[in-house]
Amino acid sequence: MSHSKTHRVLPGFGLSLGFTLAYLSLIVLVPVSAVFIKTAGMTAEQFWTAVASPRVVASYKLTFGAALLAAAINCVFGLLLAWGITRYTFPGRKLVDALIDLPFALPTAVAGIALTAIYAKNGWLGQFLEPLGIKIAFGPPGVLVALVFIGLPFVVRTVQPVLEDLDAEFEEAAASLGATRWQAVTRIVFPTLLPALLTGFALAFARAVGEYGSVIFIAGNIPMVSEITPLMIITKLEQYDYQGATAIASVMLVISFLLLLTVNGLQSWAAKRTGRTY
Amino acid sequence: MSIEVRGVNKSFGAFKALDNISLDFPDGELVALLGPSGCGKTTLLRVIAGLERADSGQVLLDGEDATDRDVRQRQVGFVFQHYALFKHMTVFENIAFGLRVRPRRTRPSEKDIRAKVSRLLDLVQLGWVADRFPTQLSGGQRQRIALARALAVEPRVLLLDEPFGALDAKVRKELRRWLRQLHDELHISSIFVTHDQEEALEVSDKVILINKGRVEQFGTPWQIYNEPASAFAYGFIGAVNEFRGRVEGDFVRVGDDLLSLAGAKFQNGQDVVAFVRPHETEIVPDIGGGHGITAKVHRILGNGPVTRVELVANGESRKGETDFFEVEIPGTQLASLGIATGQRVKLTSRRISIFDQQNGNERP
């Protein structure tokens, strides 16, 4: 074969690829690598004291634990919500559909204040929960509530289109083969939704890990109990400990990255298992 | 198993999909539900399957009233137009589905399931695709797997919705022949829906012609083709030449021409429509006397044993378009007829069917 240039049907491949890479580097890679470069200036001991102090470790546990739990809760109820608005018609369905996007649109600080006002000791819900011994605001449960709130639309919006595309024919086919309604849902509908559900989970989780604004008001920020990792970073920054802040940030980045990689792995496993080739 | 439908009505809003349909499907035969799109044939199939509830009327399976029975309890095998194969399951699991969802006490053992699925795969001649996913199969293969899946539950009736609708012409023909063979082996009462008259006439034992939610005709393919019961049946099945006119004594006046009523009794002045098949139309080169419809030879397509002659009508039809007629004559007769393009001739017929224009019913 000669070394003649391959001719592509679409022109401008070089330009598009160059632009894509340059833009991605500028917006994503450069800031991310700055975190690691800054961290690299520390000694191993400095790094370890910054990222492994008990207070910081407690914050990792809360942040990742609450984010995972919130994403899982959102998967269950987000799926139910998506089912409700795609499968049934009822008055106000459009309104419900629009309300789901509210956590997207609302400034996170506003959401945080609103949630705190509701769940605080003297709030609308808090005044009934407090006598029952359930304390939500100013503690880890408050963090969870805030993360559930901001993650919900991710699950609903990823599952909804798949559910809309899922033809009733498949459920009819299952029924004609003798499957009960429950069998049709668990064996046909749910496996079809699983990849979308995993995507929704990953998105809700990623958002929850990085969430700051809405959590900070309701968490109460008690050291060792209800401090989230982004708050630890801010605290370090306020003390002009830039290296300490970037060290914690780099740990967060690595853990998030590993968790997202796991979810992606799960997704491609689910895709392969079902013969899809994407 | 016998299937009977009694006085079934079904409306979707203001649209009447099924209008008082009563049918008795013969046991063990392959029956085609034929009709134009939107005529209600798929709705009827779904009502029989139990996927759709009739507004009124009854469905009887084996003489038992099954109207209130759910699709799960009717033991019907339903093959969907777009197959509805479960995409996340292999071909094997798709076919096994109906066996696996049975309650534990009637569920066959894993070994029996395996044996049964591979038997079915052999039956549809696709043993080698067991581990593939539906997306990795061609349309014709998917159709056969859908059929195997429906057969796995040992249905008493097999219902197929447009089974060849989504396939290309060649695969369609093969699958048609194959379905006929399969039916001859299994002898399971089957109904299939189609809008393709050729398909219906070629594959089925009986054809039910449906139009606007009503049964137009129920008969063997031969009867449907050779003895159409209504103006609609005539127009829908096969190529046909259509003449519209008014009765004048023993003739129909079509424009300036006269066409013999051929003994049919109609009242003077009645508006009628006459149908003549292309192979039963005759060309008379002499345009002098006698009756017949004048037309001009437009094209002579003389390849093969049959010569097709296309003719243009005199003047314009009611819609302001030029009417074309078609005549089929044996190739050997073309020379003796001595016609050429552009020549004016008269058309008569050996056999003619005349219907009232208003209600479409034949009058003897």
Side-chain angles (χ1 to χ4, degrees):
Chain A
M1 285 295 282
S2 65
H3 290 276
S4 70
K5 243 172 101 179
T6 348
H7 286 279
R8 286 170 193 273
V9 178
L10 277 177
F13 171 72
L15 186 66
S16 326
L17 185 70
F19 176 78
T20 308
L21 289 181
Y23 189 82
L24 197 65
S25 308
L26 195 68
I27 300 294
V28 181
L29 293 178
V30 169
V32 168
S33 53
V35 169
F36 289 105
I37 291 164
K38 188 91 183 165
T39 314
M42 303 170 87
T43 65
E45 210 193 322
Q46 280 176 317
F47 178 76
W48 190 247
T49 354
V51 302
S53 74
R55 206 174 141 191
V56 177
V57 171
S59 83
Y60 296 146
K61 284 182 187 158
L62 178 65
T63 297
F64 289 101
L68 279 172
L69 191 57
I73 290 171
N74 275 328
C75 272
V76 176
F77 292 96
L79 178 60
L80 289 179
L81 267 173
W83 185 274
I85 54 178
T86 46
R87 284 303 171 99
Y88 308 101
T89 43
F90 50 88
R93 191 175 68 114
K94 284 258 156 69
L95 190 70
V96 172
D97 199 9
L99 277 177
I100 286 168
D101 281 333
L102 207 59
F104 270 151
L106 211 60
T108 51
V110 176
I113 293 167
L115 287 171
T116 312
I118 288 169
Y119 289 106
K121 214 191 309 194
N122 50 0
W124 287 350
L125 286 173
Q127 59 178 323
F128 301 112
L129 295 172
E130 198 83 16
L132 300 171
I134 304 165
K135 190 170 172 293
I136 293 198
F138 312 122
V143 177
L144 187 65
V145 166
L147 296 186
V148 168
F149 175 82
I150 52 121
L152 179 71
F154 290 95
V155 176
V156 177
R157 290 297 178 233
T158 47
V159 172
Q160 198 180 352
V162 183
L163 208 49
E164 275 165 2
D165 282 347
L166 186 69
D167 222 309
E169 239 180 34
F170 294 103
E171 286 152 78
E172 286 178 352
S176 79
L177 293 166
T180 60
R181 189 78 195 111
W182 173 249
Q183 285 171 325
V185 170
T186 51
R187 293 181 186 223
I188 306 301
V189 177
F190 189 72
T192 312
L193 295 179
L194 192 63
L197 208 53
L198 280 173
T199 307
F201 178 87
L203 289 171
F205 169 74
R207 172 73 203 270
V209 166
E211 180 59 18
Y212 179 76
S214 62
V215 180
I216 229 63
F217 293 96
I218 199 168
N221 306 329
I222 308 156
M224 301 298 293
V225 177
S226 62
E227 280 183 325
I228 55 166
T229 312
L231 178 71
M232 299 315 299
I233 297 172
I234 298 281
T235 314
K236 296 263 183 212
L237 287 177
E238 279 169 351
Q239 295 160 355
Y240 303 105
D241 180 7
Y242 295 130
Q243 281 194 326
T246 54
I248 298 173
S250 65
V251 170
M252 262 192 107
L253 259 171
V254 169
I255 299 177
S256 297
F257 186 72
L258 287 178
L259 282 168
L260 286 179
L261 208 64
T262 314
V263 174
N264 264 321
L266 269 176
Q267 261 177 321
S268 74
W269 168 78
K272 258 200 216 96
R273 208 178 54 104
T274 61
R276 272 170 275 221
T277 45
Y278 50 81
Chain B
M1 185 181 70
S2 68
I3 308 162
E4 203 184 329
V5 172
R6 281 191 201 155
V8 163
N9 284 288
K10 175 81 189 173
S11 300
F12 295 105
F15 176 70
K16 202 150 177 60
L18 298 177
D19 190 358
N20 195 21
I21 288 203
S22 292
L23 284 166
D24 203 344
F25 292 87
D27 200 359
E29 290 194 346
L30 182 55
V31 179
L33 284 177
L34 175 66
S37 52
C39 74
K41 54 193 192 301
T42 295
T43 308
L44 179 58
L45 196 76
R46 289 173 62 87
V47 166
I48 293 171
L51 291 170
E52 208 86 63
R53 279 191 78 92
D55 297 337
S56 63
Q58 282 180 305
V59 177
L60 285 86
L61 300 177
D62 245 353
E64 279 174 59
D65 189 355
T67 316
D68 295 323
R69 263 192 248 158
D70 183 63
V71 57
R72 283 182 56 222
Q73 298 148 353
R74 289 199 190 182
Q75 281 183 280
V76 294
F78 199 98
V79 178
F80 291 83
Q81 185 178 4
H82 300 289
Y83 326 126
L85 291 175
F86 307 133
K87 292 186 194 113
H88 61 285
M89 291 183 189
T90 59
V91 164
F92 182 94
E93 287 303 322
N94 262 283
I95 298 174
F97 184 83
L99 303 170
R100 291 202 197 282
V101 294
R102 283 195 193 164
R104 188 159 291 133
R105 55 201 156 73
T106 56
R107 196 187 306 157
S109 70
E110 185 62 31
K111 200 175 129 232
D112 292 345
I113 291 178
R114 295 209 156 263
K116 180 150 201 188
V117 172
S118 57
R119 234 187 2 261
L120 283 162
L121 277 168
D122 288 342
L123 182 72
V124 300
Q125 299 154 12
L126 283 172
W128 46 282
V129 301
D131 296 323
R132 298 208 186 171
F133 287 95
T135 44
Q136 297 163 326
L137 302 180
S138 73
Q141 290 170 338
R142 281 181 215 180
Q143 180 61 269
R144 287 191 273 167
I145 296 302
L147 198 62
R149 184 178 69 177
L151 288 172
V153 294
E154 287 170 15
R156 302 190 290 170
V157 192
L158 194 58
L159 306 172
L160 305 109
D161 186 9
E162 296 268 1
F164 315 113
L167 303 168
D168 60 71
K170 189 171 170 283
V171 181
R172 223 176 166 140
K173 261 207 142 75
E174 280 170 20
L175 218 55
R176 228 143 76 177
R177 202 174 305 132
W178 177 79
L179 180 71
R180 184 65 242 185
Q181 273 170 12
L182 191 76
H183 184 265
D184 291 340
E185 276 173 46
L186 301 174
H187 281 296
I188 176 171
S189 303
S190 310
I191 306 174
F192 77 99
V193 157
T194 180
H195 62 263
D196 184 336
Q197 38 131 337
E198 199 188 311
E199 198 168 285
L201 298 180
E202 200 183 297
V203 178
S204 62
D205 298 312
K206 298 272 161 54
V207 177
I208 296 167
L209 188 62
I210 296 183
N211 183 35
K212 292 182 183 157
R214 291 170 166 276
V215 176
E216 289 277 343
Q217 194 174 358
F218 185 174
T220 62
W222 192 91
Q223 286 170 325
I224 296 281
Y225 187 82
N226 293 290
E227 296 165 357
S230 64
F232 169 80
Y234 230 112
F236 192 73
I237 308 285
V240 77
N241 294 316
E242 186 181 318
F243 306 102
R244 284 173 187 275
R246 183 162 288 177
V247 174
E248 270 184 33
D250 289 336
F251 295 95
V252 184
R253 178 164 288 284
V254 182
D256 296 331
D257 300 317
L258 288 174
L259 195 65
S260 170
L261 268 175
K265 293 277 177 290
F266 282 92
Q267 278 178 1
N268 244 343
Q270 202 170 344
D271 286 323
V272 293
V273 52
F275 293 101
V276 185
R277 298 272 186 220
H279 67 274
E280 288 165 347
T281 314
E282 266 174 19
I283 296 177
V284 183
D286 173 22
I287 56 166
H291 52 84
I293 306 293
T294 32
K296 198 167 77 183
V297 178
H298 182 59
R299 286 203 306 168
I300 301 173
L301 305 152
N303 311 318
V306 174
T307 300
R308 276 177 53 224
V309 183
E310 243 178 51
L311 303 105
V312 195
N314 242 358
E316 288 180 334
S317 74
R318 291 161 305 136
K319 292 170 210 152
E321 296 160 0
T322 320
D323 268 342
F324 281 92
F325 302 126
E326 206 179 292
V327 180
E328 284 175 8
I329 49 172
T332 48
Q333 280 182 19
L334 185 66
S336 62
L337 209 56
I339 51 167
T341 309
Q343 190 181 333
R344 290 168 71 79
V345 294
K346 278 202 161 181
L347 297 178
T348 61
S349 77
R350 288 191 291 271
R351 236 182 79 158
I352 189 165
S353 297
I354 301 171
F355 298 90
D356 188 311
Q357 271 196 32
Q358 250 69 51
N359 57 27
N361 294 327
E362 191 174 16
R363 295 278 180 83

